[in-house]
Amino acid sequence: MDFQMDHSFDEQQNRWNIILTGEIDIFNSLELKTRLTKLVEEKPADVFLQCKFLEYIDSTGLGALVGVLKNVKGSGFTIHMQDVKPNIQKLFKITNLDNEFILEEGDGNG
Amino acid sequence: MAMAKTGETIKLSFPVNPAYVSSARLTASSIANRMGFDIDEIEDIKTAVSEACTYIIRTMITDEKSNFEINFILLEGVMEIHMVTSGMPVPTPPDEMSLMMIKALVDDFKLSGGPEKNIEIFMIKKHISSFFE
């Protein structure tokens, strides 16, 4: 299964709402990084990644997110990860990335 | 229904190509399921195998002659996973995030080889509840 990324910009809340679906690994993590980077460079803002349909992400996918986070933090914003499945939350803990990203329950905007 | 049996071995061979890491992941979870591992343990095995493939792919020079084998060795309440490459490794090994993840997810892990030598990865995952049955 491949991954899918749907995005929209919320003008009222001034943020990117992005829905990630499927599996991200070494096969497609560069594509994830390229697409997210394009969005945040086009319009710097907070990024809300809705992850309830994200089944899997590997170390290269997490690395891609860290790269995008650096970019986003550089413009004074941050990345929120919403409704992350327990198997993926475990990977954020193992790699200490749960301190870098904001992991939270979704607020219905995803 | 015939379950997986102790003593059985499943051997797979993959080209050094990111396109097939998902196949390795899928196979690993399917075998772990047939061995009676629980859902969390299956996730651990799936991730460990995926990261080991990723480590190998990032460590090997990608050409059509390079490949690696995954052997799943089924023991009593234990899955042993042995991976070995053939082909040339790149001069600089990749970053260690894959290894950090594998170490946290399996009960035993060994890595050997490197420049000029085949890379070998050895992992063991125990099925905890099998010790109480």
Side-chain angles (χ1 to χ4, degrees):
Chain A
M1 188 182 181
D2 230 338
F3 94 101
Q4 220 184 310
M5 185 180 121
D6 299 298
H7 66 271
S8 62
F9 191 79
D10 184 334
E11 298 285 351
Q12 280 183 337
Q13 301 198 58
N14 194 44
R15 69 188 218 185
W16 284 106
N17 289 329
I18 291 160
I19 306 172
L20 294 178
T21 308
E23 301 199 342
I24 295 162
D25 70 6
I26 186 172
F27 178 64
N28 52 25
S29 53
L30 185 63
E31 186 190 339
L32 173 76
K33 188 178 179 178
T34 310
R35 289 174 63 183
L36 283 175
T37 303
K38 190 167 169 270
L39 294 182
V40 299
E41 283 183 349
E42 189 181 291
K43 203 166 173 85
D46 284 326
V47 176
F48 286 71
L49 291 172
Q50 173 50 253
C51 300
K52 67 180 156 194
F53 304 118
L54 182 64
E55 303 297 333
Y56 187 76
I57 187 163
D58 79 340
S59 59
T60 68
L62 293 174
L65 291 180
V66 169
V68 178
L69 181 68
K70 276 184 194 155
N71 191 322
V72 170
K73 280 194 167 168
S75 357
F77 298 99
T78 193
I79 299 182
H80 297 247
M81 310 281 301
Q82 299 188 312
D83 300 326
V84 177
K85 285 182 192 268
N87 61 315
I88 296 173
Q89 278 192 29
K90 186 173 177 177
L91 304 182
F92 273 87
K93 286 203 184 80
I94 291 171
T95 52
N96 292 321
L97 291 175
D98 53 337
N99 300 319
E100 304 293 325
F101 295 87
I102 300 172
L103 273 74
E104 62 189 20
E105 305 230 325
D107 55 6
N109 284 298
Chain B
M1 189 172 67
M3 288 298 281
K5 291 193 196 103
T6 297
E8 289 178 333
T9 298
I10 296 123
K11 290 172 189 278
L12 300 172
S13 180
F14 287 96
V16 177
N17 182 341
Y20 304 115
V21 174
S22 60
S23 312
R25 231 175 15 241
L26 211 60
T27 309
S29 14
S30 155
I31 297 168
N33 183 34
R34 286 288 188 269
M35 284 180 77
F37 280 94
D38 67 36
I39 282 182
D40 291 337
E41 292 166 338
I42 293 171
E43 280 298 326
D44 292 349
I45 290 168
K46 184 175 104 175
T47 305
V49 168
S50 186
E51 290 302 330
C53 292
T54 299
Y55 181 84
I56 284 173
I57 290 168
R58 297 182 71 189
T59 310
M60 299 285 293
I61 291 166
T62 312
D63 63 37
E64 66 280 4
K65 281 177 285 181
S66 299
N67 78 324
F68 64 98
E69 263 186 31
I70 312 179
N71 295 282
F72 298 95
I73 302 151
L74 282 46
L75 303 172
E76 190 66 44
V78 172
M79 186 193 266
E80 237 182 62
I81 302 156
H82 182 216
M83 299 172 62
V84 62
T85 63
S86 58
M88 283 299 287
V90 293
T92 22
D95 69 58
E96 304 263 309
M97 210 206 286
S98 290
L99 302 182
M100 181 180 168
M101 282 164 72
I102 297 169
K103 281 176 197 158
L105 295 171
V106 297
D107 298 292
D108 195 14
F109 168 74
K110 286 187 195 79
L111 169 71
S112 62
E116 313 280 312
K117 274 183 76 183
N118 291 335
I119 300 154
E120 283 193 62
I121 292 175
F122 179 83
M123 306 184 276
I124 283 183
K125 183 70 179 177
K126 293 174 185 167
H127 176 29
I128 297 304
S129 64
S130 72
F131 295 99
F132 302 101
E133 275 164 10

